[in-house]
Amino acid sequence: MSDNHNTIDDLMLENRKFPPSAQFKRQALVAGTELYDEAAEDYQGFWARQAADLLTWSTDWNTICEWNLPYAKWFLGGQLNVSYNCLDRHVEAGRGDKVAFYWEGEPGDARVLTYADLLDEVQRLANALKDLGVQRGDRVNIYLPMIPEAAVAMLACARIGAAHSVVFGGFSAQSLSDRINDAEAKVLITADGGHRRGEVFPLKPAADDALVSAPTIEHVIVVRRGGNDVEMVTGRDHWYHDLIAAADPVCPAEPMDAEQLLFLLYTSGTTGKPKGIMHTTGGYLTQVAFTHKYVFDLHPDTDVFWCTADVGWVTGHSYIVYGPLANGATSVMYEGVPNFPGNDRLWAIIEKYKVTKFYTAPTAIRTFMKWGAAEPEKHDLSSLRVLGSVGEPINPEAWMWYHEHIGAGTCPVVDTWWQTETGGIMISPLPGATTTKPGSATFPLPGIGVEVVDDSGKRVEQGGGYLTLTQPWPGMLRGIWGDPQRYFDTYWSRYEGRYFAGDGCKLDDEGYLWLLGRVDDVMNVSGHRISTTEVESALVSHPAVAEAAVVGALDDTTGQAIIAYVTLRGGSDVDIAELRDHVATEIGAIAKPKTIYFTADLPKTRSGKIMRRLLRDVAEGRNLGDTTTLADASVVGELQRRAAEATVED
Ligand code: WTA
């Protein structure tokens, strides 16, 4: 054990263990250590075998990995086309009638798209883009609701070697124009509007506003979805359906270099202007195909996979579009919110399409807990085989709830840690091979190098520290668009030779990894460095609590004091003193919140992550900074009002 026990304190103890059942193991793709053993011998050779097995290349590579820290290039000399790998080769193999997407609109309309359907539409749109002047190396912005055309647009770009930059449809005109300008995109693909919470939300008017200050856009393609009135600018704006109808139906997939830019995806991080994360072709597709196949134990002939993320986030890129399609899988894609028309919409969809693999976020799971187990009980969820989680640390109680109430106590839960920057899943169980512990993402996947280090960069064998990645991986970001210095400073300057992920992490006595949240969120209470995640998990382990957000607020005596914001499960009640004692019993008196506020909702980013920075501002009585990335700004006003009224407990 190292002497760095104070880097982040290790408070929470979770002893429950879930080995894969014998029944699950019997049908699993991997039930032993073979992939880990192979990768431990030669990680680059391992990834090369995956690239060869999972993808179709038009030219073989000559170098597996060229590593000039901090820049990696994978499969140099190799050529392939991503859209060929996701579409043509499945159709050529006689699987054109296989369903690629069961798409479900929020109002209840539905579409079924086969691989042949997708290939046809992608070729047409690719030709339409070419006709509008898009060439290899250009950037195309995509600003769409959750409709199949989003996947078509991404694949059409990939087919002709243009990089896409998808902007989440919930972002404002300003966010869109910032991203268009940074990428200097030539074409924007948008829609009139989409359906959300029972209403049509307009997108084209926001796009029009954005374009006032986005001069690089020459053409706009508009999908008709919302049916709302829009203005079309002659010469600039084109209806998607007109272009598709008029387009040449054949657009051969051209081979691209393995390192051809596939997409930019902007991530804001905690501060500063959004970073355009760069992902390329061969390595990225290898990693997303590999992880989609093995983490979800994919059986493509029988599985119906559903990732509930929006295509505007990296999870949607990798596990709605590229991973599942590269593997020839059948997926569900859903347009709307989980509570329209009722709180059981997702469970109704699982029942309708007999979903087998379900991938969602802790924030959603905690919301389902709040709504109560009666909602999933209304539906037959017996088709489910594996449940996944991504986006935040999952609290052990949320994991247990997911396991019991959605997975009937039998589905393995895979808690997957990764980032926009990593392209694909990095730390996760393999469901047929790994004994899971609720709240732990368990171990790095085969071929991935992870170490926890202390402040000085020394390796931590047990206890808390910072998560670092020790070797290049195929899906890693290739840089920040237009800003190499920021790329180096953000990820490679803190520890020499290591990628700094920005997350706290602890290792337990069996080598399991427990993610502790963003390093910026770690609290310092009387010299103890306490992770917000652990205190939140202690709160969520109380039967009355659905969700908790914890922040450190400046305190004269202790440096920082722990302030907690708590939402209760439907119909529950509990008093503050009991909750504070509960935390003390679970993890120790040092972690007892000084103040607890009950609230109906927590401030979250649009991708569902709790915005602790805002809660810190509220707790310290500061004016709020930038709230534009907040999903529901009214939540914070309410909390501010109550903070002003509150009397602090001691
Ligand atoms: C957090 C989402 C704990 C983490 C794919 C990371 C997680 C950030 C997990 C990246 C997990 C994601 N356990 N924390 N399983 N998955 N995170 O770029 O802080 O939207 O650094 O990518 O989410 O968020 P991003």
Side-chain angles (χ1 to χ4, degrees):
M1 209 167 131
S2 67
D3 53 5
N4 70 300
H5 59 279
N6 220 18
T7 294
I8 303 178
D9 284 3
D10 172 6
L11 299 174
M12 185 111 178
L13 191 65
E14 169 60 62
N15 285 323
R16 289 169 286 199
K17 281 191 186 180
F18 294 87
S21 68
Q23 193 190 357
F24 192 91
K25 273 176 134 31
R26 265 197 301 281
Q27 58 81 58
L29 298 178
V30 182
T33 60
E34 57 275 19
L35 290 181
Y36 297 95
D37 297 341
E38 181 193 345
E41 286 278 301
D42 170 12
Y43 79 93
Q44 294 193 1
F46 169 80
W47 283 119
R49 181 171 78 80
Q50 297 307 330
D53 284 359
L54 298 171
L55 305 183
T56 303
W57 296 76
S58 27
T59 313
D60 287 342
W61 59 86
N62 46 47
T63 307
I64 300 175
C65 178
E66 184 191 281
W67 180 219
N68 289 321
L69 196 137
Y71 292 102
K73 293 181 176 166
W74 284 82
F75 309 121
L76 276 175
Q79 290 195 313
L80 75 167
N81 184 290
V82 166
S83 102
Y84 178 86
N85 273 274
C86 289
L87 304 171
D88 307 56
R89 61 174 180 154
H90 307 311
V91 176
E92 286 169 10
R95 294 191 295 271
D97 290 339
K98 186 166 176 182
V99 174
F101 289 114
Y102 289 113
W103 176 80
E104 173 100 356
E106 194 188 73
D109 51 339
R111 284 167 67 187
V112 178
L113 284 99
T114 64
Y115 276 89
D117 295 336
L118 266 189
L119 176 57
D120 178 62
E121 200 155 320
V122 166
Q123 295 195 71
R124 288 170 182 272
L125 183 62
N127 279 327
L129 287 170
K130 283 204 224 169
D131 291 345
L132 294 177
V134 177
Q135 295 174 356
R136 196 184 282 214
D138 287 343
R139 274 82 55 211
V140 171
N141 255 88
I142 298 175
Y143 183 59
L144 284 171
M146 280 288 287
I147 53 178
E149 287 80 358
V152 171
M154 292 161 76
L155 291 162
C157 291
R159 197 164 187 89
I160 61 173
H164 55 72
S165 167
V166 182
V167 177
F168 172 55
F171 275 138
S172 64
Q174 184 64 48
S175 310
L176 177 61
S177 67
D178 289 348
R179 287 161 174 76
I180 291 172
N181 289 330
D182 191 73
E184 298 179 283
K186 227 176 182 174
V187 167
L188 172 66
I189 305 176
T190 186
D192 51 358
H195 293 263
R196 203 173 163 76
R197 238 177 281 282
E199 288 172 10
V200 171
F201 70 93
L203 273 175
K204 177 66 165 55
D208 288 336
D209 285 352
L211 293 184
V212 171
S213 53
T216 58
I217 295 289
E218 295 166 14
H219 292 280
V220 181
I221 301 176
V222 186
V223 179
R224 186 178 279 153
R225 167 60 188 157
N228 46 315
D229 283 340
V230 294
E231 280 173 30
M232 299 291 279
V233 175
T234 313
R236 186 194 75 180
D237 298 354
H238 316 267
W239 284 108
Y240 176 94
H241 54 262
D242 290 340
L243 293 182
I244 293 289
D248 184 340
V250 179
C251 176
E254 298 164 37
M256 303 292 157
D257 289 339
E259 283 296 332
Q260 167 86 29
L261 186 67
L262 179 64
F263 65 84
L264 298 177
L265 185 57
Y266 285 81
T267 167
S268 17
T270 43
T271 48
K273 105 181 207 303
K275 309 182 276 252
I277 302 298
M278 298 163 67
H279 283 291
T280 58
T281 297
Y284 170 80
L285 199 64
T286 300
Q287 189 166 340
V288 297
F290 170 78
T291 50
H292 177 253
K293 176 172 176 177
Y294 289 103
V295 170
F296 295 99
D297 192 47
L298 185 72
H299 295 267
D301 293 338
T302 49
D303 270 337
V304 178
F305 180 79
W306 185 15
C307 164
T308 67
D310 191 282
V311 282
W313 312 122
V314 74
T315 309
H317 282 56
S318 300
Y319 301 104
I320 294 175
V321 180
Y322 291 119
L325 294 177
N327 289 332
T330 296
S331 290
V332 168
M333 186 177 190
Y334 171 54
E335 178 184 37
V337 296
N339 55 348
F340 184 86
N343 288 353
D344 62 340
R345 182 65 183 273
L346 300 193
W347 320 129
I349 293 174
I350 290 180
E351 180 171 11
K352 175 173 175 186
Y353 296 105
K354 300 194 170 34
V355 171
T356 57
K357 311 286 162 75
F358 181 64
Y359 192 26
T360 194
T363 177
I365 297 166
R366 293 185 303 251
T367 304
F368 305 146
M369 286 166 72
K370 199 159 63 181
W371 292 342
E375 298 297 339
E377 276 159 18
K378 292 179 193 160
H379 297 278
D380 177 5
L381 307 183
S382 61
S383 55
L384 289 171
R385 293 286 171 270
V386 177
L387 302 177
S389 172
V390 60
E392 280 184 295
I394 180 166
N395 321 98
E397 287 319 309
W399 193 106
M400 288 302 299
W401 192 93
Y402 196 30
H403 180 66
E404 282 167 9
H405 295 288
I406 309 302
T410 55
C411 299
V413 174
V414 289
D415 172 14
T416 64
W417 179 90
W418 58 294
Q419 307 179 300
T420 304
E421 292 86 341
T422 69
I425 298 170
M426 302 290 281
I427 303 176
S428 168
L430 293 182
T434 312
T435 294
T436 53
K437 299 185 185 182
S440 167
T442 72
F443 306 107
L445 288 177
I448 301 298
V450 169
E451 278 177 9
V452 178
V453 298
D454 66 14
D455 280 315
S456 67
K458 204 163 125 228
R459 186 167 174 184
V460 172
E461 306 289 343
Q462 192 183 329
Y466 305 119
L467 185 75
T468 66
L469 304 172
T470 56
Q471 66 200 26
W473 64 99
M476 74 186 267
L477 74 167
R478 299 305 198 259
I480 295 175
W481 181 253
D483 203 344
Q485 189 60 43
R486 192 171 177 200
Y487 171 62
F488 178 77
D489 292 346
T490 309
Y491 306 107
W492 300 96
S493 65
R494 174 116 175 211
Y495 299 111
E496 203 188 328
R498 295 168 181 273
Y499 173 92
F500 174 62
D503 282 326
C505 187
K506 73 176 189 190
L507 272 162
D508 72 13
D509 56 353
E510 295 178 310
Y512 281 70
L513 295 161
W514 300 77
L515 276 303
L516 297 176
R518 301 295 296 165
V519 166
D520 310 327
D521 293 335
V522 169
M523 305 172 288
N524 193 328
V525 183
S526 307
H528 295 273
R529 304 193 60 185
I530 299 176
S531 118
T532 51
T533 298
E534 293 204 315
V535 182
E536 287 163 5
S537 291
L539 286 162
V540 174
S541 76
H542 189 284
V545 175
E547 188 156 37
V550 162
V551 297
L554 286 177
D555 186 274
D556 290 343
T557 326
T558 55
Q560 280 188 320
I562 301 178
I563 312 292
Y565 300 84
V566 166
T567 65
L568 296 179
R569 295 203 201 188
S572 301
D573 200 14
V574 62
D575 64 42
I576 290 178
E578 181 181 336
L579 272 187
R580 295 178 71 229
D581 288 344
H582 178 75
V583 174
T585 322
E586 286 291 303
I587 59 177
I590 181 70
K592 209 163 151 171
K594 179 167 181 185
T595 310
I596 296 178
Y597 297 108
F598 292 112
T599 166
D601 266 307
L602 294 170
K604 291 184 186 158
T605 65
R606 289 159 203 266
S607 67
K609 295 189 210 296
I610 296 171
M611 283 190 84
R612 293 184 189 74
R613 174 177 62 76
L614 279 184
L615 290 172
R616 254 188 326 261
D617 289 346
V618 172
E620 295 178 350
R622 256 194 310 281
N623 279 337
L624 299 184
D626 182 14
T627 56
T628 50
T629 53
L630 204 61
D632 175 6
S634 68
V635 176
V636 188
E638 172 63 16
L639 290 173
Q640 270 181 314
R641 193 180 56 72
R642 290 213 271 139
E645 288 169 7
T647 44
V648 172
E649 305 240 330
D650 38 82

